[in-house]
Amino acid sequence: MGNILDYLTTMGLFQQLFWIFSLATAILILAYHAFLVIYYPSNLPRVGADKGNAWSAMRKQFNTDCLSLLNEVYENYSKKGKSVLIPVFGPHDEVILPPSSLAWLCRQPDNVLSSLDAQIDSIQPHHSLGNKFAYDPWGGMLIKTDLNSAIETVCAVLNDELSAAFSACFGDDCDNWKEIDLFPACRIIGGRATLRFTLGDSPEGRRLCADEGFVQSCYDVLDGMLDTAGAMASSLKIFRRFVGPWASRAMPGKLRDLAKCIEPLYQERMKFLRDQPTEKDSEPQDLIQMMLQYAVNERPEEANNLDDIAKRLALSNFGTMHQTIITLHNLILNIIDSDTEFDTVSTLRDEVTSVLGQGSDTTSKQWTKSKVAAMVRADSVARETLRVNSFIGRTVQRLVVAPSGVMTPDGIQLRRGTMVSILAHQSQTDEDYFKDPFKFDPFRFSREREAAADEVTGHPGLNHLSMVSTSAKYLAFSHGRHACPGRFLVDFELKMIMAYAVKNYDLEFPEQYEGKRPPNSWFSGFGIPPLEAKIRVKRKKSV
Ligand code: HEM
Ligand SMILES: *[C@@H]1O[C@H](CO)[C@@H](O)[C@H](O)[C@H]1NC(C)=O
């Protein structure tokens, strides 16, 4: 030490400052990284440790066959009320809490267990879009507060959008079967329906919904965000800030394209806000208008920046489009798959007819919120699809953010930085709760609900079994305070798309499928749909 001090005194002032500065920086960086290394308490079970399995072997099992690992975790730990540490994708670990801790988990305040920080960790929007879009997600807040009025509007007009989207993807041929790639078709149909809600309530917005280049641009940005999230998940946290710019290198170009596409819409809507701020009646009832209105009042610097608004749209589309399209894809496959045994298609057709009235062709503006809500069988088909084909494997994911950590109900003190979650798929397919748990039974929930219908009004009972009612056995939308607020829109969208499809088309699988849908696969904790699946469609002659 003395030698170093002697050495320092022989240096000039600038050299001294330089070394002191470097040393201080190095210490700061080390201290910062020390926070990113998470220590787990010794009384937290490590999966496989009791069988003498190496952690690396468990990680390998997660990477090659996460379903088998998560199934064992559910049986050996979750069902016994025990928390357990498991390896997850990349170099990361996560604490799987038992379903018995769900109520406790949902009760924790955001400054102890944070949903936002967990979402940021998995989506990495601070890298794909920028810090303020990640840490100040006001767009999501609008979904929570203002969704209802927009749903009413969407109900009335969605069928026009669906009519055009279905013609573009399924065609109008009433005489010949047509084989189509289902996933790209769902991206167009589900995407246009969602965009109709997001920005379709003005001439410029309607033009954009029908503009293939624009819809593609939305998906380019969305795919870029998914790619960024995937690359970041493979990286150790300490390297993430260096990996970030590389992982998101394609984003600026994609976002520029998106901004270019929406510029006319942006001008149209901003002009509206400038010229007619009091004429509420003619104000477009869609998400982008709510967002711009909010931005003008609360975030004026963003409102005046087209690139910022494009990024807000990108974040919103990420929430509204990705899982909705995957669910739609599973839903259509399940309807066809179950048709032979359950007569799913004609049951749904009958329901649409009884809701809309005889002889209806489902065009024009006959749909209302209450009509959509009356489709209890379609509701059951959607809920059952999310039950057996949930995209997320782990749900109610939270990051421990309290500086002093948090104590789980089973007495384990978790430190700040620990990620916790509950298994969704295994909870939803638990044989102790569901008969034939892996079977897609389209009317599993509506049978019970119709049996419990109100004798006077005929309204179905057991609302807790509806598609939007989350529970410990239905976790695809998560549960509690942060449960997906978009599910009320998904509900309407899926039912109307389903209604349109069965009323206007005959549907079947290509012969080589032998009546069975291609299965989903599990990868890195997610239920991945068979993206290459094909179906055959034929337009029904209008009645
Ligand atoms: C089938 C489609 C969808 C599924 C399965 C789904 C699922 C989820 C899940 C699991 C969460 C995490 C909740 C938590 O952290 O506990 C979430 C959050 C969220 N979703 Fe969805 N979602 C879907 C569609 C949508 C749509 C269409 C919208 C917008 C209209 C939307 C808006 C949001 C927002 C704003 C959040 C953040 C909520 C918060 O942090 O409090 N989602 N979603
Ligand atoms: C779960 O328990 C079974 C039976 O004791 C055992 O064979 C298996 O290795 C355990 N799996 C895990 C992941 O702990």
Side-chain angles (χ1 to χ4, degrees):
M1 200 63 191
N3 285 343
I4 295 176
L5 284 179
D6 286 347
Y7 181 60
L8 276 176
T9 51
T10 64
M11 286 190 227
L13 180 65
F14 278 113
Q15 266 176 312
Q16 282 181 11
L17 284 177
F18 173 77
W19 281 110
I20 290 169
F21 179 75
S22 308
L23 204 67
T25 311
I27 288 171
L28 274 178
I29 291 178
L30 279 176
Y32 178 71
H33 288 173
F35 278 113
L36 293 179
V37 178
I38 300 151
Y39 298 93
Y40 298 100
S42 54
N43 66 340
L44 172 66
R46 270 77 170 161
V47 70
D50 52 339
K51 301 282 177 304
N53 289 328
W55 195 244
S56 57
M58 302 316 288
R59 191 175 294 290
K60 194 167 161 216
Q61 187 180 351
F62 185 87
N63 285 330
T64 52
D65 184 8
C66 63
L67 183 63
S68 74
L69 181 66
L70 297 180
N71 285 344
E72 290 179 32
V73 165
Y74 188 74
E75 287 303 323
N76 296 8
Y77 297 92
S78 296
K79 283 195 86 165
K80 296 176 180 162
K82 289 194 231 162
S83 304
V84 61
L85 185 69
I86 68 161
V88 294
F89 187 71
H92 312 292
D93 306 321
E94 191 158 315
V95 175
I96 302 296
L97 298 176
S100 54
S101 295
L102 178 64
W104 170 84
L105 182 59
C106 292
R107 253 193 338 262
Q108 299 308 302
D110 293 340
N111 60 3
V112 174
L113 287 175
S114 166
S115 162
L116 179 62
D117 286 278
Q119 287 175 41
I120 291 175
D121 189 85
S122 60
I123 303 170
Q124 298 282 311
H126 49 313
H127 287 294
S128 48
L129 301 174
N131 276 335
K132 73 177 167 197
F133 303 95
Y135 295 100
D136 177 22
W138 51 261
M141 190 193 71
L142 294 181
I143 296 285
K144 286 193 173 172
T145 53
D146 293 359
L147 186 64
N148 244 354
S149 59
I151 289 182
E152 200 69 82
T153 313
V154 149
C155 264
V157 295
L158 189 58
N159 240 42
D160 296 339
E161 195 65 43
L162 290 179
S163 167
F166 268 96
S167 286
C169 297
F170 282 25
D172 295 316
D173 192 338
C174 297
D175 299 313
N176 303 293
W177 287 94
K178 177 181 174 188
E179 186 161 301
I180 60 160
D181 288 309
L182 184 59
F183 194 72
C186 287
R187 277 198 148 193
I188 302 282
I189 294 166
R192 280 179 71 160
T194 304
L195 287 168
R196 183 70 182 73
F197 153 81
T198 305
L199 47 67
D201 204 29
S202 72
E204 198 47 54
R206 280 190 289 283
R207 185 188 68 75
L208 281 179
C209 290
D211 177 348
E212 278 177 31
F214 167 68
V215 179
Q216 187 55 47
S217 172
C218 290
Y219 283 119
D220 287 345
V221 168
L222 198 154
D223 291 339
M225 291 177 72
L226 289 170
D227 289 347
T228 305
M232 298 303 283
S234 342
S235 161
L236 274 174
K237 288 195 178 174
I238 58 172
F239 297 132
R240 278 192 176 167
R241 77 176 104 164
F242 310 111
V243 176
W246 172 82
S248 58
R249 66 199 178 283
M251 289 305 294
K254 292 169 190 264
L255 287 163
R256 261 197 309 278
D257 290 344
L258 185 67
K260 214 164 120 198
C261 288
I262 65 163
E263 179 158 17
L265 176 84
Y266 172 75
Q267 302 297 357
E268 174 203 59
R269 301 300 184 90
M270 290 302 278
K271 181 169 185 305
F272 188 93
L273 287 174
R274 274 194 308 273
D275 296 351
Q276 303 150 293
T278 52
E279 253 185 67
K280 280 289 170 213
D281 283 343
S282 56
E283 180 165 355
Q285 298 290 316
D286 57 21
L287 183 59
I288 196 82
Q289 196 65 16
M290 291 177 205
M291 287 168 68
L292 287 170
Q293 178 76 69
Y294 179 90
V296 164
N297 296 338
E298 309 289 335
R299 303 284 188 282
E301 70 295 344
E302 286 191 34
N304 292 319
N305 185 330
L306 172 63
D307 291 330
D308 278 3
I309 296 300
K311 288 178 187 171
R312 287 290 168 196
L313 177 64
L315 193 60
S316 161
N317 284 350
F318 191 90
T320 57
M321 293 171 93
H322 178 49
Q323 290 209 58
T324 310
I325 275 86
I326 290 176
T327 307
L328 176 61
H329 182 250
N330 278 314
L331 181 89
I332 294 179
L333 291 175
N334 288 344
I335 289 176
I336 305 176
D337 182 281
S338 61
D339 192 42
T340 315
E341 184 177 351
F342 293 94
D343 222 359
T344 316
V345 174
S346 51
T347 306
L348 289 173
R349 268 178 201 150
D350 291 348
E351 183 169 73
V352 181
T353 308
S354 79
V355 165
L356 282 183
Q358 200 67 37
S360 156
D361 60 357
T362 76
T363 50
S364 76
K365 302 185 176 179
Q366 306 140 319
W367 283 107
T368 59
K369 237 176 124 170
S370 64
K371 285 183 184 176
V372 180
M375 291 199 286
V376 62
R377 294 179 185 172
D379 190 285
S380 177
V381 169
R383 180 175 166 117
E384 178 73 344
T385 292
L386 281 161
R387 185 187 72 82
V388 289
N389 300 126
S390 168
F391 174 68
I392 50 165
R394 287 163 284 146
T395 191
V396 205
Q397 206 180 30
R398 302 284 181 263
L399 194 71
V400 180
V401 291
S404 57
V406 69
M407 172 85 85
T408 67
D410 55 334
I412 295 164
Q413 179 67 29
L414 299 174
R415 297 205 190 196
R416 174 155 74 171
T418 304
M419 189 73 87
V420 303
S421 63
I422 286 185
L423 295 178
H425 175 67
Q426 285 73 18
S427 303
Q428 301 187 155
T429 53
D430 188 327
E431 60 186 2
D432 291 346
Y433 289 84
F434 297 100
K435 188 166 156 272
D436 242 339
F438 298 103
K439 185 180 184 77
F440 177 83
D441 172 355
F443 309 116
R444 188 188 285 272
F445 301 108
S446 54
R447 273 193 302 271
E448 279 187 64
R449 295 189 64 201
E450 287 178 277
D454 185 296
E455 278 174 24
V456 181
T457 63
H459 289 320
L462 310 180
N463 280 339
H464 67 280
L465 294 180
S466 77
M467 128 100 187
V468 294
S469 310
T470 64
S471 75
K473 292 291 163 239
Y474 178 55
L475 290 159
F477 289 117
S478 186
H479 186 61
R481 208 164 63 252
H482 289 286
C484 176
R487 65 192 190 281
F488 301 98
L489 175 70
V490 176
D491 184 26
F492 284 88
E493 234 181 277
L494 290 181
K495 284 177 191 163
M496 289 189 68
I497 296 176
M498 229 184 298
Y500 193 93
V502 297
K503 271 306 249 188
N504 293 286
Y505 291 91
D506 286 323
L507 310 162
E508 65 177 30
F509 286 137
E511 209 171 322
Q512 67 270 26
Y513 287 13
E514 295 177 345
K516 285 284 133 216
R517 63 161 285 177
N520 281 5
S521 53
W522 281 89
F523 178 70
S524 87
F526 293 101
I528 313 290
L531 299 176
E532 70 305 326
K534 294 181 194 305
I535 63 166
R536 287 157 50 86
V537 298
K538 189 169 68 160
R539 181 120 196 156
K540 287 169 73 68
K541 294 201 169 65
S542 39
V543 280

